[in-house]
Amino acid sequence: MVSATYQNLTLTLLVLCIVTSPIESRYREKDVKKGKASPPILPQMIVPSPLMNLCSGDREMKLVCHCSPDDPHVKAQKANCWIFSKDLPRKDTNWLAFQTQSTLEQLKITVQKIGNLAYIPSDVLHTLKYLKQLTIEYGVIPDLLNYAFGNLTELRNVTLHKNQIRIVHPFAFANHPFLEEINLERNEILELDKEALVHLPALRKLNLDFNNLSMLHDDVFVYLTSLDELKLESNQISVLTREIFKGLGNLRILKLTANSLTFIGDTIFAELWSLQELDLDHNQIEKLSARAFDGLNNLRKLNLENNRLKRLERGIFTGVPAVLNLNLNSNQLETITYNNFLPLMDNLVNSTAILHLKDNRFLCDCRLLWLFDLRNNTKNEDLRYTLQHVECLYDIKGIYGTPSLTHNQLKEFGRSQPQDTILFDEDYYDDTGHRKPGVVLQKKFSSSRSAPEGSQDKSQLQPITLMKLRKDTILPCPKELDEPTELPLSRESIGLDMGWRSSVTATSVGSTCIHSVVLLGMCALLSLARYGRRC
C-alpha cells in the first residue's frame, strides 16, 4: 500500500517536470531576444578615504604644516603651518587634517604672498581643546567676529599682528579664563567695541600698537582688572578721559607714544593708582593741567619727550612724588622753575633720579639759577652730567637789560659764532605732525645788513651752556617774570644752599617798598585835596 503511494507521487513529479520545462525554456528564449538577460546590478559600496595627516608635509595640501615632535607615532604638541592657496573656504576639507592632531598646544599660521586667509578658522579651533598659544599673521581679516576663538579654556596667548583687522566686534575675545596676552599690533583697527574684551580675568598684556584708533570708548577696559601692560603707541588718539581707564587699577605700564594728544586735563590718570611707567612722548601736547598727574603716587617713569610744551604749571609734579626718570627733551620750554620741581627735589638730590632737558628754548635768566645748586648738591653723577650740559638762550640785544657778556665770552660759552643770529622756526613740523627736535635755522647777518623785517626780538638769542656762566653773570628776571623760584621752607630739608636768591629777593622787595611809599604819598595828597578822605 505504501509502495503504491510512493510510486504515484514519483509519477506526478515526473509529469510536472515534463510539462513546465518547455514553458521555462520558451520564456528564456523570449528574454534573450529582448536583451533582458543581464545580471542584476547591486549598489556600489562607498569606502571613505582616510584623513590626511596634518603633519605629513604634503605639498599638495593647501596648507603645509611642520609639527613637533616630528614622529608619526606620537601626537604633535606644536605646529607651524603655511597657507599657499588663495582658495581656502571655511568648509575646505584641508581643515579636517587638524582632527588628526587634536592635542596641539601651540599653533602658528602664516599666510604666504600667494595665499589668502580672510577669516579666523573658528570651526577648526573649536576642536583644539588643549590649545594654549595661537598666532595668525599676514592674513586679510577685516573683522574679528564674536566668539572668534570659541570657548578655548586653556588659551594663554593670542597673536594676530599684520592681518589688516579693522573692526573688533562685541565678545570677540570672551570666556577665556587663562588668557594672559593679546597682541593686535600693526593692523588697521578703527574701533574697539566696548564689549570686545570680556570675561578675561587673567589678561595681563594688551598690545594695540600701530593701528588707526582715533578714540576709545568709556569703560572699554573695565573688565580687564588684572591688566599689567597696555600699549597704544602710534595710533590717532586725540582725547583722553578718566572713564577710559576705569577698571585698570593694577596697570603698571601705559604707552601712548606717537598719538595726536594736545592736552592732558585734570585727574585723567587717577584710576591708575598702580601705574609705574607712562609714555606720552612724540605727541603734540601743548598744555598739561596742573593736576594732570594727580593720583599717580607710584609712577617711576614719565616720558614727555618731543611735544610742544612751552611752560609747566606750578605744582605739576605734585601728584608724582616717586618719579625717578623724567624726560622733557625736545619741547619748547622757556624755563623750568624750582616750584615746578619741588615735589621731586628729594629724588633729584638724594637718589638716582634721571632728568632729560635737551633741545628746549630755556632763557638765560634768574629762573634757572636753582640748577646751579642742584648740580652742586646732587649725589647722582648722571644728573650732574645732564645739568652740566644744559643750554639756554642768551639775550644778545639786551631785551631784559644790558648784556653782561662780552664778545669773547659769547664766543667761549656759545656753540655758534657771536655774529650769527639764531632764528627758531616755530612752525616747522615733520610729515607726521610732530615737531622736529632741535630745528634751528642759522643765518648770518653782516654789520651792514639788518635782520629780516618783522622778526621778533626774541629770536635774537645766542645758545650758551648754562653752567659755563657765573651766577652774577645771569641777569635778574625782568619785572613781568619775577616770581619765587623756590620755596624757602624746603631748603634745609633737601640740603640746598639757596642763598643766591636773597639778593634777587631783596632787590625785588626793595623795589616793591619804594613803589608802595610813592603810591601812599600820592594817595595822601589826593585825599587832602578831595573832602579830606583817607586812603
Side-chain angles (χ1 to χ4, degrees):
M1 182 71 182
V2 174
S3 61
T5 304
Y6 281 116
Q7 286 179 357
N8 290 334
L9 285 173
T10 302
L11 289 173
T12 304
L13 288 172
L14 285 173
V15 171
L16 286 173
C17 287
I18 293 170
V19 171
T20 57
S21 218
I23 297 173
E24 184 179 353
S25 64
R26 222 177 6 251
Y27 278 107
R28 277 183 187 165
E29 288 176 1
K30 289 181 180 179
D31 288 342
V32 169
K33 289 179 182 179
K34 293 181 180 179
K36 294 183 180 180
S38 58
I41 299 174
L42 297 175
Q44 187 175 359
M45 182 179 295
I46 300 175
V47 181
S49 59
L51 291 174
M52 182 69 72
N53 191 323
L54 180 71
C55 304
S56 65
D58 188 351
R59 292 277 178 177
E60 298 299 321
M61 295 180 66
K62 293 181 180 180
L63 77 163
V64 178
C65 299
H66 177 268
C67 299
S68 176
D70 189 11
D71 185 343
H73 303 292
V74 178
K75 289 288 187 181
Q77 295 183 344
K78 180 179 179 180
N80 288 331
C81 302
W82 298 268
I83 294 178
F84 293 95
S85 174
K86 287 188 177 298
D87 181 24
L88 188 62
R90 287 180 180 271
K91 300 300 182 181
D92 195 287
T93 55
N94 282 261
W95 290 118
L96 297 177
F98 279 91
Q99 296 181 14
T100 65
Q101 299 293 341
S102 59
T103 61
L104 284 177
E105 295 183 4
Q106 299 180 38
L107 173 61
K108 181 177 181 179
I109 300 175
T110 302
V111 183
Q112 298 297 307
K113 286 186 178 180
I114 61 174
N116 182 43
L117 182 65
Y119 54 89
I120 301 294
S122 303
D123 294 341
V124 174
L125 299 176
H126 185 70
T127 64
L128 304 178
K129 299 296 185 182
Y130 303 98
L131 193 65
K132 294 181 179 180
Q133 295 185 24
L134 171 65
T135 299
I136 301 176
E137 57 185 5
Y138 301 108
V140 182
I141 306 173
D143 294 87
L144 281 185
L145 302 178
N146 53 346
Y147 304 105
F149 308 96
N151 293 326
L152 297 178
T153 57
E154 296 297 322
L155 205 58
R156 262 66 168 181
N157 182 300
V158 176
T159 299
L160 299 174
H161 57 267
K162 301 177 182 178
N163 285 292
Q164 301 182 38
I165 299 168
R166 295 175 65 85
I167 305 294
V168 183
H169 290 273
F171 305 103
F173 296 90
N175 304 326
H176 305 295
F178 300 112
L179 185 59
E180 297 177 354
E181 182 173 357
I182 297 175
N183 187 342
L184 294 169
E185 69 173 324
R186 298 188 184 277
N187 283 287
E188 300 173 4
I189 298 175
L190 298 167
E191 182 182 5
L192 188 66
D193 190 89
K194 191 174 180 178
E195 294 185 325
L197 306 160
V198 296
H199 303 138
L200 307 173
L203 192 67
R204 293 179 57 81
K205 294 184 179 182
L206 176 59
N207 189 342
L208 292 163
D209 287 349
F210 297 94
N211 279 283
N212 295 329
L213 288 167
S214 59
M215 58 87 68
L216 294 169
H217 294 292
D218 290 348
D219 302 325
V220 66
F221 305 119
V222 72
Y223 300 108
L224 308 183
T225 54
S226 299
L227 200 65
D228 180 80
E229 181 176 340
L230 176 58
K231 291 184 174 183
L232 293 162
E233 179 180 347
S234 294
N235 280 276
Q236 301 170 27
I237 300 169
S238 58
V239 177
L240 294 178
T241 66
R242 180 172 176 170
E243 287 71 22
I244 289 173
F245 302 110
K246 279 187 176 179
L248 299 181
N250 290 310
L251 193 71
R252 289 190 314 109
I253 300 173
L254 175 59
K255 293 186 178 295
L256 285 160
T257 299
N259 277 276
S260 301
L261 299 171
T262 59
F263 172 69
I264 305 295
D266 284 344
T267 64
I268 291 297
F269 306 107
E271 300 285 335
L272 309 177
W273 48 80
S274 300
L275 199 66
Q276 296 184 15
E277 294 185 23
L278 176 58
D279 288 308
L280 294 167
D281 55 298
H282 292 83
N283 278 275
Q284 302 163 34
I285 301 173
E286 297 178 355
K287 182 177 175 58
L288 297 170
S289 172
R291 300 182 59 199
F293 304 120
D294 278 14
L296 299 180
N297 295 326
N298 294 303
L299 195 69
R300 299 292 188 273
K301 177 185 175 184
L302 177 57
N303 190 351
L304 291 163
E305 182 179 7
N306 216 319
N307 279 287
R308 301 179 184 178
L309 293 171
K310 293 184 177 180
R311 66 186 300 268
L312 298 176
E313 298 292 330
R314 182 191 295 261
I316 181 67
F317 301 122
T318 302
V320 286
V323 164
L324 296 175
N325 189 329
L326 176 59
N327 192 338
L328 292 167
N329 283 348
S330 302
N331 277 278
Q332 303 173 24
L333 292 170
E334 293 184 357
T335 195
I336 48 174
T337 69
Y338 182 83
N339 282 333
N340 294 146
F341 286 85
L342 179 62
L344 307 179
M345 197 57 66
D346 187 61
N347 299 342
L348 293 172
V349 174
N350 299 316
S351 66
T352 57
I354 300 173
L355 180 61
H356 304 275
L357 297 170
K358 292 191 303 182
D359 298 321
N360 278 283
R361 300 179 181 181
F362 299 135
L363 299 176
C364 298
D365 61 36
C366 68
R367 292 172 296 179
L368 298 181
L369 285 175
W370 67 279
L371 293 177
F372 285 85
D373 296 281
L374 179 58
R375 178 200 61 177
N376 295 333
N377 288 275
T378 183
K379 300 175 183 178
N380 184 351
E381 292 298 326
D382 291 334
L383 178 57
R384 183 177 289 111
Y385 178 84
T386 297
L387 296 174
Q388 193 68 37
H389 294 84
V390 169
E391 289 187 343
C392 60
L393 301 176
Y394 186 77
D395 175 19
I396 300 172
K397 285 195 162 187
I399 302 171
Y400 305 142
T402 304
S404 55
L405 292 184
T406 65
H407 176 91
N408 290 332
Q409 286 175 320
L410 282 171
K411 186 174 181 179
E412 178 185 355
F413 300 155
R415 60 179 175 180
S416 307
Q417 295 300 320
Q419 67 268 23
D420 294 352
T421 300
I422 307 300
L423 299 178
F424 286 84
D425 183 2
E426 297 194 4
D427 296 325
Y428 183 83
Y429 299 93
D430 63 16
D431 293 336
T432 62
H434 303 302
R435 187 176 70 83
K436 278 285 189 182
V439 173
V440 176
L441 303 179
Q442 185 172 351
K443 297 181 180 180
K444 295 184 178 181
F445 298 100
S446 64
S447 57
S448 61
R449 184 185 303 174
S450 60
E453 184 178 356
S455 62
Q456 298 179 357
D457 287 339
K458 194 173 179 180
S459 298
Q460 313 302 313
L461 301 171
Q462 174 73 42
I464 289 176
T465 302
L466 175 65
M467 294 301 166
K468 288 184 179 179
L469 301 175
R470 298 190 309 272
K471 288 184 181 180
D472 57 2
T473 305
I474 298 182
L475 299 173
C477 292
K479 187 175 180 180
E480 63 271 17
L481 299 178
D482 190 13
E483 62 177 72
T485 56
E486 42 42 80
L487 294 181
L489 294 177
S490 62
R491 295 177 191 168
E492 294 77 15
S493 65
I494 62 174
L496 288 181
D497 176 17
M498 295 296 180
W500 53 267
R501 187 179 176 272
S502 59
S503 60
V504 176
T505 306
T507 303
S508 177
V509 170
S511 176
T512 303
C513 290
I514 292 171
H515 291 159
S516 299
V517 170
V518 172
L519 289 174
L520 286 172
M522 293 177 65
C523 183
L525 291 173
L526 290 172
S527 298
L528 291 172
R530 295 186 180 182
Y531 312 110
R533 293 181 182 176
R534 293 186 300 171
C535 288

